[in-house]
Coordinates of all heavy atoms in Angstrom, one line a residue:
M1 N 21.8 70.1 126.5 CA 21.3 69.0 127.4 C 20.0 69.4 128.0 O 19.8 70.6 128.3 CB 22.4 68.8 128.5 CG 22.0 67.8 129.5 SD 23.3 66.6 129.8 CE 22.5 65.6 131.0
I2 N 19.2 68.4 128.3 CA 17.9 68.6 128.9 C 18.1 69.1 130.4 O 19.1 68.9 131.0 CB 17.0 67.4 128.9 CG1 17.7 66.2 129.6 CG2 16.6 67.0 127.5 CD1 16.9 65.0 129.7
E3 N 17.1 69.8 130.9 CA 17.1 70.2 132.3 C 17.2 68.9 133.2 O 16.9 67.8 132.7 CB 15.9 71.0 132.7 CG 14.6 70.3 132.7 CD 13.9 70.0 131.4 OE1 14.4 70.4 130.3 OE2 12.8 69.5 131.4
R4 N 17.6 69.1 134.4 CA 17.8 67.9 135.3 C 16.4 67.4 135.7 O 15.6 68.2 136.2 CB 18.5 68.3 136.6 CG 18.8 67.1 137.5 CD 19.6 67.5 138.7 NE 19.9 66.4 139.5 CZ 19.1 65.8 140.3 NH1 17.8 66.2 140.4 NH2 19.4 64.8 141.0
W5 N 16.1 66.2 135.4 CA 14.8 65.6 135.8 C 14.9 65.0 137.2 O 15.9 64.3 137.5 CB 14.4 64.5 134.8 CG 14.1 65.0 133.4 CD1 14.0 66.3 133.0 CD2 13.9 64.3 132.3 NE1 13.7 66.4 131.7 CE2 13.6 65.1 131.2 CE3 13.8 62.9 132.0 CZ2 13.3 64.7 129.9 CZ3 13.5 62.5 130.8 CH2 13.3 63.4 129.7
E6 N 13.9 65.3 138.0 CA 13.9 64.8 139.4 C 13.3 63.4 139.4 O 12.5 63.0 138.6 CB 13.0 65.7 140.2 CG 13.5 67.1 140.3 CD 14.8 67.2 141.0 OE1 15.0 66.4 142.0 OE2 15.7 68.0 140.6
P7 N 13.7 62.6 140.4 CA 13.1 61.3 140.6 C 11.6 61.4 140.8 O 11.1 62.4 141.3 CB 13.7 60.7 141.9 CG 15.0 61.5 142.0 CD 14.7 62.9 141.4
L8 N 10.9 60.4 140.4 CA 9.4 60.4 140.5 C 9.0 59.9 141.9 O 9.5 58.8 142.3 CB 8.8 59.4 139.5 CG 8.9 59.9 138.0 CD1 8.3 58.8 137.1 CD2 8.3 61.2 137.8
D9 N 8.3 60.7 142.6 CA 7.8 60.3 144.0 C 6.3 60.0 143.9 O 5.7 59.6 145.0 CB 8.1 61.4 145.0 CG 9.5 61.6 145.2 OD1 10.2 60.6 145.3 OD2 10.0 62.7 145.4
R10 N 5.7 60.2 142.8 CA 4.3 59.8 142.6 C 4.0 59.5 141.2 O 4.9 59.7 140.3 CB 3.3 61.0 143.1 CG 3.5 62.2 142.3 CD 2.5 63.3 142.9 NE 2.4 64.4 142.1 CZ 2.9 65.6 142.3 NH1 3.6 65.8 143.4 NH2 2.7 66.6 141.4
E11 N 2.9 58.9 140.9 CA 2.5 58.4 139.6 C 2.5 59.5 138.6 O 1.9 60.6 138.7 CB 1.1 57.8 139.7 CG 0.6 57.2 138.4 CD -0.7 56.5 138.6 OE1 -0.8 55.5 139.4 OE2 -1.7 57.0 138.0
P12 N 3.3 59.3 137.5 CA 3.3 60.3 136.4 C 2.0 60.4 135.7 O 1.3 59.4 135.6 CB 4.4 59.9 135.5 CG 4.6 58.4 135.7 CD 4.1 58.2 137.1
V13 N 1.7 61.6 135.1 CA 0.5 61.8 134.4 C 0.8 62.3 132.9 O -0.2 62.5 132.2 CB -0.4 62.8 135.1 CG1 -0.9 62.3 136.4 CG2 0.2 64.2 135.2
S14 N 2.0 62.5 132.6 CA 2.4 63.0 131.3 C 3.8 62.5 130.9 O 4.6 62.2 131.7 CB 2.5 64.5 131.4 OG 2.9 65.1 130.1
V15 N 4.0 62.3 129.6 CA 5.3 61.9 129.0 C 6.2 63.1 128.9 O 7.3 62.9 128.4 CB 5.1 61.1 127.7 CG1 4.4 59.8 127.9 CG2 4.5 61.9 126.6
Y16 N 5.8 64.2 129.3 CA 6.6 65.4 129.2 C 7.0 65.9 130.6 O 6.3 65.8 131.5 CB 5.8 66.6 128.5 CG 5.4 66.2 127.2 CD1 4.0 65.9 126.9 CD2 6.2 66.1 126.1 CE1 3.6 65.5 125.7 CE2 5.8 65.8 124.8 CZ 4.5 65.5 124.6 OH 4.0 65.1 123.4
P17 N 8.3 66.3 130.8 CA 8.7 66.8 132.1 C 7.8 67.9 132.5 O 7.4 68.7 131.7 CB 10.1 67.3 131.8 CG 10.6 66.7 130.5 CD 9.3 66.4 129.7
P18 N 7.5 68.0 133.8 CA 8.1 67.3 134.9 C 7.4 65.9 135.2 O 7.6 65.4 136.3 CB 7.9 68.2 136.1 CG 6.7 68.9 135.8 CD 6.7 69.1 134.3
F19 N 6.6 65.5 134.3 CA 5.9 64.2 134.4 C 4.8 64.1 135.4 O 3.8 63.3 135.1 CB 6.9 63.0 134.6 CG 8.0 63.0 133.6 CD1 9.3 63.4 134.0 CD2 7.8 62.5 132.3 CE1 10.3 63.4 133.1 CE2 8.8 62.5 131.4 CZ 10.1 62.9 131.8
V20 N 4.9 64.7 136.5 CA 3.8 64.6 137.5 C 2.7 65.7 137.4 O 1.8 65.7 138.3 CB 4.4 64.6 139.0 CG1 5.3 63.3 139.2 CG2 5.2 65.8 139.2
S21 N 2.8 66.5 136.4 CA 1.8 67.5 136.2 C 1.6 67.6 134.7 O 2.5 67.3 133.9 CB 2.1 68.8 136.8 OG 3.3 69.4 136.3
Y22 N 0.4 68.0 134.3 CA 0.2 68.2 132.8 C 0.9 69.4 132.3 O 1.0 70.4 133.0 CB -1.3 68.3 132.6 CG -2.1 67.1 133.0 CD1 -2.9 67.1 134.1 CD2 -2.0 65.9 132.3 CE1 -3.6 66.0 134.5 CE2 -2.7 64.8 132.7 CZ -3.5 64.9 133.8 OH -4.2 63.8 134.2
P23 N 1.4 69.4 131.0 CA 1.9 70.6 130.4 C 0.9 71.7 130.5 O -0.2 71.5 130.1 CB 2.2 70.1 129.0 CG 2.4 68.6 129.1 CD 1.4 68.2 130.1
G24 N 1.3 72.8 131.0 CA 0.4 74.0 131.1 C -0.6 73.8 132.2 O -1.6 74.5 132.3
E25 N -0.4 72.7 133.0 CA -1.3 72.4 134.1 C -2.7 72.1 133.7 O -3.6 72.1 134.5 CB -1.3 73.6 135.2 CG 0.0 73.9 135.8 CD 0.6 72.7 136.6 OE1 -0.2 72.0 137.3 OE2 1.8 72.5 136.5
R26 N -2.9 71.8 132.4 CA -4.3 71.4 132.0 C -4.2 70.0 131.4 O -3.3 69.7 130.6 CB -4.7 72.4 130.9 CG -4.9 73.8 131.5 CD -5.5 74.7 130.5 NE -6.8 74.1 130.2 CZ -7.7 74.7 129.4 NH1 -7.4 75.8 128.8 NH2 -8.9 74.1 129.1
Y27 N -5.2 69.2 131.7 CA -5.2 67.8 131.1 C -5.4 67.9 129.6 O -6.1 68.7 129.1 CB -6.4 67.0 131.7 CG -6.6 65.7 130.9 CD1 -5.8 64.7 131.2 CD2 -7.5 65.6 129.9 CE1 -5.9 63.5 130.5 CE2 -7.7 64.4 129.2 CZ -6.9 63.4 129.5 OH -7.0 62.2 128.8
R28 N -4.6 67.1 129.0 CA -4.9 66.8 127.5 C -4.4 65.4 127.3 O -3.5 64.9 127.9 CB -4.1 67.8 126.6 CG -2.7 67.7 126.6 CD -2.0 68.7 125.7 NE -1.6 68.3 124.4 CZ -0.8 67.3 124.1 NH1 -0.5 66.4 125.1 NH2 -0.4 67.0 122.9
H29 N -5.2 64.7 126.4 CA -4.9 63.3 126.1 C -3.6 63.2 125.4 O -3.3 64.0 124.5 CB -6.0 62.7 125.2 CG -5.7 61.4 124.7 ND1 -5.8 60.3 125.6 CD2 -5.3 60.9 123.5 CE1 -5.4 59.2 124.9 NE2 -5.2 59.5 123.6
E30 N -2.7 62.3 125.8 CA -1.5 62.0 125.1 C -1.6 60.7 124.4 O -1.8 59.7 125.0 CB -0.3 62.0 126.1 CG -0.1 63.4 126.7 CD 1.0 63.5 127.8 OE1 1.6 62.4 128.1 OE2 1.2 64.6 128.3
S31 N -1.6 60.8 123.1 CA -1.8 59.7 122.2 C -0.7 58.7 122.2 O 0.4 58.9 122.7 CB -2.0 60.2 120.8 OG -0.8 60.7 120.3
F32 N -1.0 57.5 121.6 CA -0.1 56.5 121.4 C 1.2 57.0 120.7 O 2.3 56.8 121.1 CB -0.7 55.3 120.6 CG 0.3 54.4 120.0 CD1 0.8 53.3 120.8 CD2 0.8 54.5 118.7 CE1 1.7 52.4 120.3 CE2 1.7 53.6 118.2 CZ 2.2 52.6 119.0
E33 N 1.0 57.8 119.7 CA 2.1 58.4 118.9 C 3.0 59.3 119.7 O 4.2 59.3 119.6 CB 1.6 59.1 117.6 CG 1.2 58.1 116.5 CD 2.4 57.1 116.2 OE1 3.6 57.5 116.1 OE2 2.0 56.0 115.9
E34 N 2.3 60.1 120.6 CA 3.1 60.9 121.5 C 3.9 60.1 122.5 O 5.1 60.4 122.8 CB 2.2 61.9 122.3 CG 1.7 63.1 121.5 CD 0.8 64.0 122.4 OE1 -0.3 63.6 122.5 OE2 1.4 65.0 122.8
R35 N 3.3 59.1 123.0 CA 4.0 58.2 124.0 C 5.2 57.5 123.3 O 6.3 57.4 123.8 CB 3.1 57.2 124.6 CG 2.0 57.9 125.5 CD 1.2 56.9 126.3 NE 0.5 55.9 125.5 CZ -0.8 56.0 125.1 NH1 -1.5 57.1 125.3 NH2 -1.3 55.0 124.4
R36 N 4.9 57.0 122.1 CA 6.0 56.4 121.3 C 7.1 57.3 121.0 O 8.3 57.0 121.1 CB 5.4 55.8 120.0 CG 6.4 55.0 119.1 CD 5.6 54.4 117.9 NE 6.6 53.9 117.0 CZ 7.2 54.7 116.0 NH1 6.9 55.9 115.9 NH2 8.1 54.1 115.2
A37 N 6.8 58.5 120.5 CA 7.8 59.6 120.2 C 8.6 59.9 121.4 O 9.8 60.1 121.3 CB 7.1 60.8 119.6
A38 N 8.0 60.0 122.6 CA 8.7 60.3 123.8 C 9.7 59.2 124.2 O 10.9 59.5 124.6 CB 7.8 60.6 125.0
L39 N 9.3 58.0 124.0 CA 10.2 56.8 124.3 C 11.3 56.8 123.3 O 12.5 56.7 123.7 CB 9.4 55.5 124.2 CG 8.4 55.2 125.3 CD1 7.4 54.2 124.9 CD2 9.2 54.8 126.6
L40 N 11.0 57.0 122.0 CA 12.1 57.1 121.0 C 13.1 58.2 121.2 O 14.3 58.1 120.9 CB 11.5 57.1 119.6 CG 10.8 55.8 119.1 CD1 10.1 56.0 117.8 CD2 11.8 54.7 119.0
A41 N 12.6 59.3 121.7 CA 13.5 60.5 121.9 C 14.5 60.1 122.9 O 15.7 60.5 122.8 CB 12.6 61.7 122.4
E42 N 14.1 59.4 124.0 CA 15.1 59.0 125.0 C 16.0 57.9 124.5 O 17.1 57.6 125.1 CB 14.4 58.6 126.3 CG 13.9 59.8 127.0 CD 14.9 60.9 127.2 OE1 16.0 60.6 127.6 OE2 14.5 62.0 126.9
L43 N 15.7 57.2 123.4 CA 16.5 56.2 122.8 C 17.4 56.7 121.7 O 18.0 55.9 121.0 CB 15.7 55.0 122.4 CG 15.0 54.2 123.5 CD1 14.0 53.3 123.0 CD2 16.1 53.5 124.3
E44 N 17.3 58.0 121.5 CA 18.1 58.6 120.4 C 19.6 58.2 120.5 O 20.2 58.2 121.6 CB 18.0 60.1 120.4 CG 18.8 60.8 119.3 CD 18.7 62.4 119.5 OE1 17.6 62.8 119.9 OE2 19.7 63.0 119.2
G45 N 20.2 57.8 119.4 CA 21.5 57.3 119.4 C 21.7 55.8 119.7 O 22.8 55.3 119.6
V46 N 20.6 55.2 120.1 CA 20.7 53.7 120.4 C 20.2 53.0 119.2 O 19.1 53.2 118.7 CB 19.8 53.4 121.6 CG1 19.8 51.9 121.9 CG2 20.3 54.2 122.8
E47 N 21.0 52.1 118.7 CA 20.6 51.3 117.5 C 19.5 50.3 118.0 O 19.6 49.6 118.9 CB 21.7 50.5 117.0 CG 21.4 49.7 115.7 CD 22.6 49.0 115.1 OE1 23.7 49.1 115.6 OE2 22.4 48.2 114.2
L48 N 18.4 50.3 117.2 CA 17.2 49.5 117.6 C 17.0 48.4 116.5 O 17.0 48.7 115.3 CB 15.9 50.3 117.7 CG 15.9 51.4 118.7 CD1 14.6 52.2 118.7 CD2 16.1 50.9 120.1
G49 N 16.8 47.2 117.0 CA 16.4 46.1 116.1 C 14.9 46.0 116.0 O 14.1 46.8 116.6
V50 N 14.4 45.1 115.2 CA 13.0 44.9 114.9 C 12.3 44.6 116.3 O 11.2 45.2 116.5 CB 12.8 43.8 113.9 CG1 11.3 43.5 113.8 CG2 13.4 44.2 112.6
Y51 N 12.9 43.8 117.1 CA 12.2 43.4 118.3 C 12.2 44.6 119.3 O 11.3 44.9 120.0 CB 12.9 42.2 119.0 CG 12.0 41.7 120.2 CD1 10.8 41.1 120.0 CD2 12.4 42.0 121.5 CE1 10.1 40.6 121.0 CE2 11.7 41.5 122.5 CZ 10.5 40.9 122.3 OH 9.7 40.5 123.4
D52 N 13.3 45.4 119.3 CA 13.4 46.6 120.1 C 12.2 47.6 119.7 O 11.5 48.1 120.6 CB 14.7 47.4 119.9 CG 15.9 46.6 120.4 OD1 15.8 45.9 121.4 OD2 16.9 46.6 119.7
E53 N 12.0 47.7 118.4 CA 10.9 48.6 118.0 C 9.6 48.1 118.4 O 8.7 48.8 118.7 CB 11.0 48.8 116.5 CG 12.3 49.6 116.1 CD 12.5 49.7 114.6 OE1 11.7 49.1 113.8 OE2 13.5 50.3 114.2
H54 N 9.4 46.8 118.3 CA 8.2 46.1 118.8 C 8.0 46.4 120.3 O 6.9 46.8 120.7 CB 8.3 44.6 118.6 CG 7.2 43.8 119.3 ND1 5.9 43.8 118.8 CD2 7.2 43.1 120.4 CE1 5.2 43.0 119.6 NE2 6.0 42.6 120.6
L55 N 9.0 46.4 121.1 CA 8.9 46.7 122.5 C 8.5 48.1 122.7 O 7.7 48.4 123.6 CB 10.2 46.4 123.3 CG 10.5 44.9 123.5 CD1 11.9 44.8 124.1 CD2 9.5 44.3 124.4
V56 N 9.1 49.1 122.0 CA 8.7 50.5 122.1 C 7.2 50.7 121.8 O 6.5 51.3 122.5 CB 9.6 51.4 121.2 CG1 9.0 52.8 121.1 CG2 11.0 51.4 121.7
R57 N 6.7 50.0 120.7 CA 5.3 50.1 120.4 C 4.5 49.5 121.5 O 3.4 50.0 121.9 CB 5.0 49.5 119.0 CG 5.5 50.3 117.9 CD 5.0 49.7 116.5 NE 5.3 48.3 116.3 CZ 6.4 47.8 115.9 NH1 7.4 48.7 115.5 NH2 6.6 46.5 115.7
W58 N 4.9 48.4 122.0 CA 4.1 47.7 123.1 C 4.0 48.6 124.3 O 3.0 48.7 124.9 CB 4.8 46.4 123.4 CG 4.2 45.5 124.4 CD1 3.0 44.9 124.3 CD2 4.7 45.2 125.7 NE1 2.7 44.2 125.5 CE2 3.7 44.4 126.4 CE3 5.8 45.6 126.4 CZ2 3.9 44.0 127.7 CZ3 6.0 45.1 127.7 CH2 5.0 44.3 128.3
I59 N 5.2 49.2 124.7 CA 5.2 50.0 125.9 C 4.3 51.3 125.7 O 3.5 51.7 126.5 CB 6.6 50.4 126.3 CG1 7.4 49.2 126.8 CG2 6.6 51.5 127.4 CD1 8.9 49.4 126.9
A60 N 4.4 51.9 124.5 CA 3.6 53.0 124.1 C 2.1 52.7 124.2 O 1.3 53.6 124.4 CB 4.0 53.6 122.8
A61 N 1.7 51.5 123.9 CA 0.3 51.1 123.9 C -0.2 51.0 125.3 O -1.4 51.0 125.5 CB 0.1 49.8 123.2
W62 N 0.6 50.9 126.3 CA 0.2 50.9 127.7 C -0.3 52.3 128.0 O -0.1 53.2 127.3 CB 1.3 50.5 128.6 CG 1.5 49.0 128.7 CD1 2.1 48.2 127.7 CD2 1.2 48.1 129.7 NE1 2.1 46.9 128.0 CE2 1.6 46.8 129.3 CE3 0.6 48.3 130.9 CZ2 1.3 45.7 130.1 CZ3 0.4 47.1 131.7 CH2 0.8 45.9 131.3
N63 N -0.8 52.5 129.2 CA -1.2 53.8 129.6 C -0.1 54.8 129.8 O 1.1 54.4 129.8 CB -2.1 53.8 130.9 CG -1.4 53.2 132.1 OD1 -0.2 53.5 132.3 ND2 -2.1 52.5 132.9
V64 N -0.4 56.1 129.9 CA 0.6 57.1 130.0 C 1.5 56.9 131.3 O 2.6 57.3 131.2 CB -0.1 58.5 130.0 CG1 -0.8 58.8 131.3 CG2 1.0 59.6 129.6
T65 N 0.9 56.4 132.3 CA 1.7 56.2 133.5 C 2.9 55.3 133.3 O 4.1 55.6 133.7 CB 0.8 55.5 134.6 OG1 -0.2 56.4 134.9 CG2 1.6 55.3 135.9
V66 N 2.8 54.2 132.5 CA 3.8 53.3 132.2 C 4.9 54.0 131.3 O 6.1 54.0 131.6 CB 3.3 52.0 131.6 CG1 4.4 51.1 131.1 CG2 2.5 51.2 132.6
A67 N 4.4 54.5 130.2 CA 5.3 55.2 129.3 C 6.0 56.3 129.9 O 7.2 56.5 129.7 CB 4.5 55.7 128.0
A68 N 5.3 57.2 130.7 CA 6.0 58.3 131.3 C 7.0 57.9 132.3 O 8.1 58.5 132.4 CB 4.9 59.2 131.9
G69 N 6.7 56.9 133.1 CA 7.7 56.4 134.1 C 8.9 55.9 133.4 O 10.0 56.2 133.9
L70 N 8.8 55.2 132.3 CA 10.0 54.7 131.5 C 10.8 55.9 130.9 O 12.0 55.9 130.9 CB 9.6 53.7 130.5 CG 9.3 52.3 131.2 CD1 8.7 51.4 130.2 CD2 10.5 51.7 131.8
V71 N 10.0 56.9 130.3 CA 10.7 58.0 129.7 C 11.5 58.8 130.8 O 12.7 59.1 130.5 CB 9.7 59.0 129.0 CG1 10.3 60.3 128.7 CG2 9.0 58.3 127.8
S72 N 10.9 59.0 131.9 CA 11.6 59.7 133.0 C 12.8 58.9 133.5 O 13.9 59.4 133.6 CB 10.6 59.8 134.2 OG 11.3 60.3 135.3
L73 N 12.7 57.6 133.6 CA 13.8 56.7 134.1 C 14.9 56.7 133.0 O 16.1 56.9 133.4 CB 13.3 55.3 134.3 CG 14.3 54.4 134.9 CD1 14.8 54.8 136.3 CD2 13.7 53.0 135.1
M74 N 14.6 56.6 131.8 CA 15.6 56.6 130.7 C 16.3 57.9 130.6 O 17.5 58.0 130.5 CB 15.0 56.2 129.4 CG 14.6 54.7 129.3 SD 14.1 54.2 127.6 CE 12.7 55.2 127.3
G75 N 15.6 59.0 130.8 CA 16.2 60.3 130.8 C 17.1 60.5 131.9 O 18.2 61.1 131.7
R76 N 16.8 60.1 133.1 CA 17.6 60.2 134.2 C 18.9 59.3 134.1 O 20.0 59.7 134.5 CB 16.9 59.9 135.5 CG 15.9 61.1 135.8 CD 15.1 60.9 137.1 NE 14.0 59.9 136.9 CZ 13.7 58.9 137.6 NH1 14.4 58.7 138.7 NH2 12.7 58.1 137.3
V77 N 18.7 58.2 133.5 CA 19.9 57.3 133.3 C 20.8 58.0 132.3 O 22.1 58.1 132.5 CB 19.5 55.9 132.7 CG1 20.7 55.2 132.1 CG2 18.8 55.1 133.8
R78 N 20.3 58.6 131.2 CA 21.1 59.3 130.3 C 21.8 60.5 131.0 O 23.0 60.8 130.7 CB 20.3 59.8 129.1 CG 21.0 60.5 128.0 CD 20.2 60.9 126.9 NE 19.6 59.8 126.1 CZ 20.2 59.2 125.1 NH1 21.4 59.6 124.7 NH2 19.6 58.2 124.4
Q79 N 21.1 61.2 131.8 CA 21.7 62.4 132.5 C 22.8 61.9 133.5 O 23.9 62.5 133.5 CB 20.7 63.1 133.4 CG 19.7 63.9 132.5 CD 18.6 64.6 133.4 OE1 18.3 64.1 134.5 NE2 18.0 65.6 132.8
A80 N 22.6 60.8 134.1 CA 23.6 60.2 135.0 C 24.9 59.8 134.2 O 26.0 60.1 134.7 CB 23.1 59.0 135.8
G81 N 24.7 59.2 133.1 CA 25.8 58.8 132.2 C 26.6 60.1 131.8 O 27.8 60.1 131.7
A82 N 25.9 61.1 131.4 CA 26.5 62.4 130.9 C 27.3 63.0 132.1 O 28.4 63.5 131.9 CB 25.5 63.3 130.4
H83 N 26.7 62.9 133.3 CA 27.4 63.5 134.5 C 28.6 62.7 134.8 O 29.6 63.3 135.3 CB 26.4 63.5 135.7 CG 27.0 63.9 136.9 ND1 27.3 65.3 137.2 CD2 27.4 63.2 138.0 CE1 27.8 65.4 138.4 NE2 27.9 64.2 138.9
L84 N 28.6 61.5 134.6 CA 29.8 60.6 134.9 C 30.8 60.6 133.7 O 31.8 59.8 133.7 CB 29.4 59.2 135.2 CG 28.5 59.0 136.5 CD1 28.0 57.6 136.6 CD2 29.3 59.5 137.7
G85 N 30.6 61.4 132.7 CA 31.5 61.5 131.6 C 31.2 60.6 130.4 O 32.0 60.4 129.5
G86 N 30.0 60.0 130.5 CA 29.6 59.1 129.4 C 29.1 59.9 128.2 O 28.7 59.2 127.2
G87 N 29.0 61.2 128.2 CA 28.6 61.9 127.1 C 27.1 62.2 127.2 O 26.4 61.6 127.9
A88 N 26.7 63.2 126.4 CA 25.3 63.6 126.3 C 24.8 63.4 124.9 O 25.6 63.2 124.0 CB 25.1 65.0 126.8
R89 N 23.6 63.5 124.6 CA 23.1 63.4 123.3 C 23.3 64.6 122.5 O 23.6 65.6 122.8 CB 21.6 63.0 123.2 CG 20.7 63.8 124.0 CD 19.3 63.3 123.6 NE 18.6 63.3 124.8 CZ 17.3 63.2 124.9 NH1 16.6 63.1 123.8 NH2 16.6 63.1 126.0

């Protein structure tokens, strides 16, 4: 299971935990494909339809703040479900 992710209290800058700082504390551009992969990683085990995949691509095309906020939120939902006995990935 992933480490416990904390709620976001400020705008995220990365699709990688802890989201509010850059990996290695150094800025690096996170591409559309990285944002898309991070979103899909949190949807692992969820059956996606054609429109769902369209939404993932649409969200990934937004800036990193939007994608990272959703990745963080989905990860925390998954953690809460696992904590409540809903299982983990």
Side-chain angles (χ1 to χ4, degrees):
M1 173 133 184
I2 58 176
E3 71 277 6
R4 185 177 183 284
W5 292 353
E6 297 296 323
L8 295 176
D9 291 325
R10 61 182 195 251
E11 185 175 294
V13 296
S14 174
V15 293
Y16 303 103
F19 305 104
V20 293
S21 62
Y22 298 108
E25 299 298 322
R26 297 188 60 177
Y27 171 79
R28 71 181 255 312
H29 174 74
E30 293 176 359
S31 69
F32 165 84
E33 284 305 322
E34 284 182 279
R35 295 189 303 267
R36 182 177 170 273
L39 289 160
L40 288 173
E42 287 310 312
L43 291 168
E44 182 181 324
V46 176
E47 184 177 353
L48 299 177
V50 173
Y51 190 73
D52 297 322
E53 292 172 2
H54 169 76
L55 286 174
V56 168
R57 285 190 306 276
W58 181 69
I59 293 166
W62 282 73
N63 62 36
V64 72
T65 300
V66 172
L70 286 171
V71 169
S72 172
L73 186 60
M74 288 188 300
R76 288 181 282 132
V77 166
R78 187 178 289 274
Q79 288 176 340
H83 176 72
L84 295 174
R89 51 173 140 165

